[in-house]
Amino acid sequence: MDAPHAHALPSEALPPHAGARPCDALPPGADWTGVSPRLALARRIRLCAAAGLTAAAIGAGLAWATAAGAPSRLWAILVLPVIAVLTGWPIIGRQVRAWGYLEREADLLVRSGVLIQRLVIVPYGRMQMVDVTAGPLERWLGLATVQLHTAAATTDATIPGLPPGQAAGLRDRLAAQGESRSAGM
Amino acid sequence: MAVSAEPTGHDGASAPGPLVPAPAVLRATSPARLSPTSPLVDIAQALPGVLVVVLLLRSELLPRLPLPALGVPALLGIGMTVVALARLLRWWRLRYWFDEEGDLRLDSGVVVREHRRLALSRVQSVDVGQPLLARVIGLADVRIEVAGAGDTRIRLAYLPMSAARDLRAGVLARAAGLPADVGEAPETVLHRVPTGVLITSAVLAAVPLLAGLLIAVGGLIALAVLGNGITLILLFTILGPAIAAGRRVLQWYDFTVAQSPDGLRLRSGLITRSSHTVPPGRVHACAVSEPLLWRARGWRRVTMTVAGQPGGDEQNTPDTLIPVADPELAAALIGRVLPGIDLAGLPWQQAPPRVRWRSPLAARTMACAVTDEGVAVRAGTFTVTTTIAAHARCQSVRITQGPWERSLGLASLAVDLTPGPVSLHTRVAAHLAGPLAETLAAHGRRARAAEGPARWRQPVAGGPLR
């Protein structure tokens, strides 16, 4: 558990009339644990890479097309990947700030999303498996993803962007809780 | 159409008094093989397909091949012999038995040996099926499904009908924690679906599809020049819904629901007979649907989710609790599989009228209800569907809110269930979503703590397990 990365979301993130945004308001005044800001970096790198590749592919296509006699103003299409990066950049920041989890006595709460907000409550007694994964980019940035599985395929409880120590700690606590509370199917 | 009788006790004849048996004797059995005729049944079932292929080859390919006159029958004979030998070997190597711990063991495989062990305390359902051919010669297959991830289903095909019954009784006795030689539990038939009702319901259920198709085809014909093929096109249009209705009748013919201490027995089928046994407490959720044209008669269909392998071949999963029932029967059956849930007396909370701007078709009846035992949601305009799950079987609770919902002051609430035909989600006023989710979580906690033992007839030492 390296505490520096486990920062609570500021309480002013709660909207004025909390009832209208249930995913923010539950439970009132709780101390959510956020994910590492480095997750934003990881996602922005991925966004830029995707945009760059797209731009390169478009560029190659355009070079061939203009050589074949297409009008050169077609190169304006290349502005699209740039727009994607410019709009995606701040959205990623907001998304990463919105991600959080809360360990309660009997269940784990995970919330995420800005435009489409999600909140999932997973009882410890229902967890069948806890996955910790880290791709190459995540490993390089010192991040890991914790994912909870229940017997339902639709349970979507994923917490990305945790420092490996924090992720392992969470996994161990969840596993211990799940074992002591597990119930039959 | 009413539930006729209460179930009698399992050991009502042999041991009077409370239903707690002596400490379970989990007797091991010696390895047994399937019926020696089962390879023949398998081959006979594949025969029509083989014949078609052969005939096709004969007319298309073979005349060009330089083969002697006797070549075709000889090749065919050799092929069949090889297949038959392989089948025979497989039959020889497949053996099953109960071990001392009350689990079912299965040894199989010719080249790659496979040993499987099914934890019978986690049995979800036991089915005995009789495809036409097997039925003619008195054989049956047994499918056993246990809870868990991965390959949790085995099929033993084929056994003589009496052996299949014994196997089912043995599996269920061990799963219940009873002495293995207790024999088959007595059953009480609760309801038989009358054939007339089944046929009428199947036809009525197919009418909207037919109407839709006719409108679509009518549009096509109106667009196109009125040509010769109209009768043919119309024929094909009617054929689809007719086949659908026919399949329903064949599959659910003489649908019988019976209660036994081992759980609910569901039997049905005109050509292929199947018999499902769902042990107590294995049903996670039910869905009651009322198609538009059934409403005048008050009929409804009840499907259910039993934990096990998702997907799979649909005909063999016991996902229909009753294909057509009146309200009282549906409520009575749901009360049996989801104890404590009273379908008629659910405290419905109607969703706010503004829901129609987000889900116009579902909004008219959209509502949710939470009781001490379970949670129910209702939605639909033409077909009204009510979904009910027991709190103890809910896996997780989700709230989502998209921008459109946010501007309407709504939120989506979903309860995650094990994979199956039933899913539970609804829309509620945004300020209620949080409290509702918390209520469901609290109910789930309490219900799980009060869970019974996995072996449902075994005496419990010191209260409920875990």
Side-chain angles (χ1 to χ4, degrees), chain B residues 127 143 145 153 247-248 251-252 268 274 276 301 303-304 309-320 420-422:
Chain B
D127 308 334
R143 290 190 189 80
E145 199 159 316
R153 164 187 301 194
R247 276 190 54 173
R248 293 177 62 92
Q251 195 178 349
W252 307 130
S268 70
S274 70
H276 304 295
R301 168 169 55 238
T303 51
M304 58 185 174
Q309 218 169 342
D313 37 349
E314 205 150 284
Q315 277 193 335
N316 299 323
T317 40
D319 64 354
T320 298
V422 181

Side-chain angles (χ1 to χ4, degrees), chain A residues 19-23 26-27 104 106-107 114-123 125-126 150-155 182-183 185, chain B residues 122 147 284 307 392-401 403 406 411 416-419 430-431 433-434 438 441 445 448 466:
Chain A
R21 300 167 79 91
C23 303
L26 189 99
R104 294 199 301 189
D107 41 28
V114 178
L115 198 60
I116 298 175
Q117 298 188 317
R118 292 182 202 83
L119 174 88
V120 57
I121 306 179
V122 188
R126 281 285 170 247
T150 68
T154 46
T155 300
S182 81
M185 294 278 284
Chain B
R122 311 191 67 181
H284 285 215
R393 300 283 174 264
C394 296
Q395 302 293 322
S396 56
V397 184
R398 256 181 309 144
I399 303 176
T400 53
Q401 193 186 40
R406 193 146 48 236
D416 295 310
L417 301 166
T418 48
H431 67 280
E438 287 285 34
R445 221 161 33 236
R448 278 194 304 280
R466 283 180 282 221

Side-chain angles (χ1 to χ4, degrees), chain B residues 99-119:
Chain B
D99 64 14
E100 309 78 42
E101 282 150 63
D103 288 343
L104 183 67
R105 303 291 196 99
L106 191 70
D107 263 16
S108 62
V110 178
V111 182
V112 182
R113 297 287 284 164
E114 196 188 6
H115 307 273
R116 296 185 61 188
R117 176 179 185 163
L118 262 79

Side-chain angles (χ1 to χ4, degrees), chain A residues 41 43 50 62 69 101 107 118 124 128-130 136 142 151 168-169 171:
Chain A
L41 181 60
R43 298 203 159 187
L62 283 177
Y101 67 92
D107 41 28
R118 292 182 202 83
Y124 295 135
Q128 294 205 321
M129 200 163 69
V130 183
R171 177 198 58 201

Side-chain angles (χ1 to χ4, degrees), chain A residues 18-175:
Chain A
R21 300 167 79 91
C23 303
D24 285 342
L26 189 99
D31 206 9
W32 290 82
T33 310
V35 302
S36 165
R38 285 198 304 272
L39 178 64
L41 181 60
R43 298 203 159 187
R44 281 169 180 153
I45 290 173
R46 215 170 281 155
L47 172 72
C48 290
L53 282 176
T54 315
I58 293 177
L62 283 177
W64 175 78
T66 40
S72 58
R73 61 175 181 278
L74 274 180
W75 283 95
I77 299 173
L78 276 182
V79 85
L80 288 179
V82 177
I83 291 175
V85 169
L86 288 180
T87 51
W89 196 272
I91 289 176
I92 285 174
R94 293 185 61 194
Q95 278 179 338
V96 167
R97 278 195 300 278
W99 221 300
Y101 67 92
L102 178 63
E103 289 172 76
R104 294 199 301 189
E105 196 187 333
D107 41 28
L108 178 85
L109 272 60
V110 183
R111 73 168 183 194
S112 61
V114 178
L115 198 60
I116 298 175
Q117 298 188 317
R118 292 182 202 83
L119 174 88
V120 57
I121 306 179
V122 188
Y124 295 135
R126 281 285 170 247
M127 286 184 315
Q128 294 205 321
M129 200 163 69
V130 183
D131 271 350
V132 179
T133 53
L137 180 64
E138 282 181 299
R139 274 204 302 277
W140 180 61
L141 288 169
L143 294 173
T145 300
V146 175
Q147 192 173 9
L148 273 68
H149 296 275
T150 68
T154 46
T155 300
D156 180 21
T158 309
I159 314 168
L162 295 180
Q166 191 181 343
L170 178 63
R171 177 198 58 201
D172 294 344
R173 280 196 305 282
L174 291 177

Side-chain angles (χ1 to χ4, degrees), chain B residues 127-276:
Chain B
D127 308 334
V128 176
Q130 283 192 292
L132 181 61
L133 202 65
R135 198 175 164 194
V136 169
I137 52 176
L139 296 179
D141 62 3
V142 179
R143 290 190 189 80
I144 302 163
E145 199 159 316
V146 297
D151 193 7
T152 55
R153 164 187 301 194
I154 64 163
R155 174 172 181 262
L156 293 169
Y158 294 92
L159 291 162
M161 193 60 200
S162 58
R165 281 179 187 283
D166 287 348
L167 178 62
R168 176 174 66 184
V171 166
L172 286 168
R174 282 171 177 82
L178 287 175
D181 51 1
V182 71
E184 188 153 57
E187 64 170 40
T188 314
V189 171
L190 299 179
H191 185 69
R192 247 171 222 278
V193 176
T195 308
V197 170
L198 181 66
I199 292 175
T200 317
S201 70
V203 170
L204 285 180
V207 164
L209 175 65
L210 180 62
L213 279 176
L214 280 180
I215 291 169
V217 168
L220 274 181
I221 293 175
L223 280 178
V225 187
L226 290 171
N228 292 327
I230 294 178
T231 31
L232 204 65
I233 292 172
L234 280 180
L235 201 70
F236 274 106
T237 315
I238 295 166
L239 211 60
I243 289 174
R247 276 190 54 173
R248 293 177 62 92
V249 173
L250 290 186
Q251 195 178 349
W252 307 130
Y253 181 81
D254 193 27
F255 196 99
T256 306
V257 186
Q259 176 78 54
S260 85
D262 289 335
L264 223 47
R265 301 241 171 98
L266 310 169
R267 285 191 295 271
S268 70
L270 181 61
I271 295 169
T272 297
R273 268 314 264 186
S274 70
S275 161
H276 304 295

